């Protein structure tokens, strides 16, 4: 394979890196490509699984002796420290690479420019910033975890043409069709947690697992301040097979929390005082960050989604629009938080993807 431009080489590296999404977290997805002076492919690799060899190692092994005097394109700065695997920057030097093109500097404290310094001190030419914006998009969950100690939050809902997620009585099955629900299951299979509020858990009795299973097994999370989740719910009955975490307040009845724990449920009691849902969200996300969760999917309902928006912690939105109209003033809306008083204060998002499935439309927005 011969590439037509340096940008084409880096795009190939990004495509390789994307294959690791869902498998490598809390590490970042990384792709590496080695080419000769005419941009002919010599070796390639990507970070395939957490704890496994890094992208550069795979590319160097594939290139073998041909790596000497070649050019390495890599989406993220080569690491400079011992972690689950040996550092990559010294391996690049030892292989005789003459030039390294890096899309993005790694903000991880043990790297953060050290890899580049090792390369330059060895006399290797280093170019930074090729397709940096595209790489930031791919590695956004990792970047948020490293820079804020909080996970990247996906918000998801299905709604009607008039912007409702359920009827006034709470009925919501099904607003969108099977292809849209398949996308939701794919999302569940690559995140660390799937989150709902207690009203959604009571109304739908969901299982919240990925079907079919994906590369990750998400912890099911229910925001349930009073510990009301029924012991005979699908969530509790499956707690010993798939992790279930209930987020309760310190005012929840102790007997209810004990009963949940006795049935295999992990209970987190929040310490945030007051009635602000946004403050509770921030406390919980900080704990998720300490647990090294990278991606969290919030599926509803409207009050919980509203609290995540009020906390300014939604990074990506997945919306599924079904060709139906409910028409009731009391029907439920996607984000029922405190909100903003002026349009100028509203958080803006950028449309990144549109897909149509018959009469349904899938929209994905990012910050």
């Amino acid at each position: 394979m011969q590439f037509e431009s340096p940008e084409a080489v880096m795009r190939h590296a990004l495509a390789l890196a994307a294959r690791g999404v869902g498998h490598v977290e809390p590490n970042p997805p990384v792709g590496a490509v080695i080419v000769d002076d005419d941009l002919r492919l010599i070796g390639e690799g990507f970070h395939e699984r957490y704890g496994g060899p890094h992208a550069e190692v795979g590319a160097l092994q594939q290139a073998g002796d041909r790596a000497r005097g070649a050019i390495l394109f890599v989406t993220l700065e080569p690491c400079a420290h011992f972690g689950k695997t040996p550092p990559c920057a010294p391996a690049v030097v030892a292989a005789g690479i003459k030039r390294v093109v890096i899309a993005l500097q790694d903000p991880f404290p043990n790297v953060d420019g050290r890899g580049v310094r090792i390369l330059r001190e060895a006399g290797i030419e280093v170019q930074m910033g090729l397709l940096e914006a595209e790489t930031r998009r791919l590695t956004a969950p990792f970047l948020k975890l490293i820079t804020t100690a909080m996970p990247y939050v996906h918000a998801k809902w299905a709604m009607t043409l008039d912007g409702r997620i359920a009827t006034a009585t709470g009925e919501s099955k099904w607003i969108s069709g099977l292809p849209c629900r398949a996308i939701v299951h794919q999302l569940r299979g690559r995140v660390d947690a799937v989150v709902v509020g207690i009203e959604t858990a009571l109304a739908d009795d969901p299982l919240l697992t990925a079907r079919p299973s994906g590369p990750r097994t998400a912890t099911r999370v229910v925001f349930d301040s009073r510990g009301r989740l029924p012991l005979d719910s699908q969530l509790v009955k499956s707690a010993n097979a798939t992790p279930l975490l209930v987020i309760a307040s310190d005012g929840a009845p102790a007997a209810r929390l004990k009963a949940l724990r006795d049935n295999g449920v992990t209970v987190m009691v929040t310490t945030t005082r007051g009635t602000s849902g946004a403050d509770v969200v921030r406390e919980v996300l900080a704990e998720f960050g300490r647990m090294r969760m990278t991606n969290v999917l919030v599926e509803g309902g409207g009050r919980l989604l509203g609290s995540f928006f009020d906390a300014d912690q939604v990074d990506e939105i997945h919306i599924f629009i079904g060709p139906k109209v409910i028409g009731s003033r009391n029907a439920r809306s996607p984000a029922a938080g405190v909100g903003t008083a002026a349009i100028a204060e509203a958080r803006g998002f950028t449309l990144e993807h549109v897909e149509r499935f018959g009469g349904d439309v899938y929209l994905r927005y990012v910050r």
Side-chain angles (χ1 to χ4, degrees):
M1 178 189 296
Q2 184 170 16
F3 298 96
E4 62 182 17
S5 66
E7 290 78 9
V9 182
M10 190 63 82
R11 286 193 183 92
H12 185 62
L14 281 167
L16 290 169
R19 293 165 61 180
V21 171
H23 299 269
V24 302
E25 291 82 357
N27 285 348
V30 180
V33 178
I34 299 173
V35 296
D36 63 17
D37 288 338
D38 295 319
L39 302 185
R40 285 189 294 260
L41 179 65
I42 294 175
E44 63 182 29
F46 68 99
H47 189 25
E48 298 185 26
R49 59 179 176 82
Y50 178 69
H54 288 188
E56 299 94 323
V57 172
L60 289 170
Q61 288 177 343
Q62 192 176 105
D65 292 339
R66 294 180 297 166
R68 189 161 300 278
I71 306 167
L72 169 66
F73 286 74
V74 62
T75 57
L76 195 67
E77 177 184 5
C79 64
H81 66 293
F82 281 88
K84 296 287 184 181
T85 61
C88 292
V92 172
V93 174
I97 293 288
K98 70 173 183 181
R99 182 165 173 251
V100 178
V101 182
I102 301 169
L104 181 65
Q105 183 169 315
D106 188 343
F108 186 67
N110 287 338
V111 186
D112 199 16
R114 290 179 60 197
V116 171
R117 285 198 298 274
I118 289 172
L119 298 176
R120 285 179 170 154
E121 287 172 0
I124 296 174
E125 179 187 350
V126 178
Q127 175 188 343
M128 300 290 296
L130 182 65
L131 300 190
E132 179 178 344
E134 292 90 332
T135 305
R136 283 188 178 279
R137 174 86 285 282
L138 178 65
T139 57
F142 167 76
L143 296 176
K144 185 181 180 185
L145 181 63
I146 293 301
T147 58
T148 72
M150 288 188 179
Y152 187 90
V153 176
H154 304 254
K156 163 264 166 183
W157 64 81
M159 70 181 186
T160 58
L161 294 174
D162 54 339
R164 303 296 186 174
I165 62 171
T167 65
T169 61
E171 183 182 346
S172 61
K173 294 183 178 179
W174 294 101
I175 289 174
S176 58
L178 287 172
C180 292
R181 297 202 290 277
I183 293 174
V184 175
H185 283 287
Q186 291 171 7
L187 282 168
R188 289 178 180 175
R190 66 175 180 85
V191 300
D192 296 298
V194 177
V195 184
V196 297
I198 183 59
E199 298 300 335
T200 296
L202 293 174
D204 297 346
D205 190 24
L207 194 56
L208 300 181
T209 55
R211 301 182 294 278
S213 60
R216 307 186 82 75
T217 298
T219 297
R220 287 94 47 84
V221 181
V222 182
F223 275 69
D224 180 13
S225 62
R226 302 295 298 171
R228 291 188 291 150
L229 187 65
L231 299 183
D232 62 352
S233 65
Q234 288 197 91
L235 287 166
V236 175
K237 287 192 294 186
S238 61
N240 288 312
T242 307
L244 174 62
L245 172 63
V246 164
I247 309 296
S249 72
D250 57 5
R256 285 295 306 158
L257 301 188
K258 181 180 185 302
L260 289 169
R261 290 188 175 106
D262 289 346
N263 281 270
V265 180
T266 301
V267 177
M268 172 185 170
V269 178
T270 59
T271 59
T272 300
R273 297 293 185 266
T275 58
S276 170
D279 289 340
V280 173
V281 163
R282 293 188 190 98
E283 179 185 349
V284 171
L285 288 180
E287 179 60 26
F288 286 177
R290 285 188 284 272
M291 297 166 65
R292 308 308 291 164
M293 288 188 178
T294 308
N295 287 278
V296 170
L297 174 63
V298 184
E299 295 201 16
R303 289 176 60 188
L304 182 63
L305 283 164
S307 293
F308 273 82
F309 280 107
D310 289 341
D312 196 23
Q313 288 298 320
V314 175
D315 302 290
E316 189 165 331
I317 307 174
H318 305 263
I319 304 174
F320 304 89
I321 304 176
K324 303 174 178 70
V325 173
I326 291 176
S328 169
R329 72 179 65 180
N330 297 318
R332 302 179 184 184
S333 61
V338 175
T340 57
I343 293 295
E345 299 171 357
R347 164 65 68 179
F349 288 81
T350 299
L351 179 63
E352 188 174 72
H353 180 79
V354 180
E355 198 166 355
R356 179 177 173 178
F357 302 97
D360 295 336
V361 177
Y362 167 44
L363 306 172
R364 185 173 76 245
Y365 290 85
V366 298
R367 291 180 68 156

